[in-house]
């Protein structure tokens, strides 16, 4: 079980990375939400304890929340400062999601070709 934590350097990196990506596409920025973080932590604990990688559609639907998931096997620590080989920054994760922009049709909001991944990009 994960320990609840206060807003930290990894979280700040997440907000900054999301807002930098969103600025590129002229979309308003986001801010940290303790309530959303608490919901995400509960779901992350469930996934880790059950070795699963699935979306929490029930919470997403009832609370009008979206989510992007990142999973590392073997597990990687969250960087709490500069990037080192043994940790991952949130910016790296967001960059992977943003790379899906090449698959996105900005006119229709659908994949350029059926089956191409765009969900994480669209969620950011």
């Amino acid at each position: 079980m994960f320990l609840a934590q206060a807003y930290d350097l990894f979280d700040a990196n997440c907000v900054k990375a999301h807002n930098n990506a969103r600025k590129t596409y002229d979309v308003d920025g986001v801010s940290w939400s303790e309530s959303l973080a608490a919901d995400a932590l509960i779901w992350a604990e469930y996934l880790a304890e059950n070795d699963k990688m699935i979306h929490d559609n029930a919470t997403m639907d009832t609370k009008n929340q979206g989510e992007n998931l990142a999973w590392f096997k073997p597990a990687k620590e969250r960087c709490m400062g500069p990037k080192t080989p043994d940790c991952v920054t949130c910016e790296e994760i967001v960059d992977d999601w943003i790379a899906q922009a090449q698959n996105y049709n900005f006119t229709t909001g659908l994949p350029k070709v059926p089956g191409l991944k765009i969900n994480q990009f669209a969620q950011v």
Side-chain angles (χ1 to χ4, degrees):
M1 177 175 275
F2 299 111
L3 296 175
Q5 61 194 35
Y7 182 78
D8 59 26
L9 293 174
F10 183 87
D11 301 335
N13 182 252
C14 281
V15 172
K16 181 179 178 184
H18 276 82
N19 287 338
N20 286 343
R22 292 170 68 88
K23 187 184 294 183
T24 300
Y25 297 98
D26 199 29
V27 178
D28 289 342
V30 296
S31 59
W32 187 257
S33 165
E34 287 296 331
S35 173
L36 218 66
D39 286 347
L41 183 60
I42 291 167
W43 189 244
E45 288 175 343
Y46 169 81
L47 294 176
E49 289 168 6
N50 294 283
D51 197 27
K52 293 186 178 208
M53 176 66 159
I54 57 175
H55 287 284
D56 182 7
N57 293 322
T59 299
M60 291 166 47
D61 290 345
T62 61
K63 293 188 176 184
N64 196 26
Q65 296 175 356
E67 68 185 2
N68 279 340
L69 303 174
W71 181 288
F72 298 91
K73 272 192 159 183
K76 282 187 133 182
E77 292 295 320
R78 303 173 328 138
C79 293
M80 293 298 178
K83 170 70 177 146
T84 62
D86 61 337
C87 69
V88 63
T89 65
C90 192
E91 182 177 17
E92 291 177 282
I93 298 166
V94 172
D95 286 349
D96 283 347
W97 295 333
I98 292 300
Q100 292 176 359
Q102 66 187 348
N103 301 336
Y104 190 77
N105 181 321
F106 286 85
T107 302
T108 65
L110 299 170
K112 288 180 179 176
V113 175
L116 290 178
K117 291 191 111 187
I118 63 164
N119 296 353
Q120 288 80 16
F121 168 72
Q123 185 62 42
V124 170

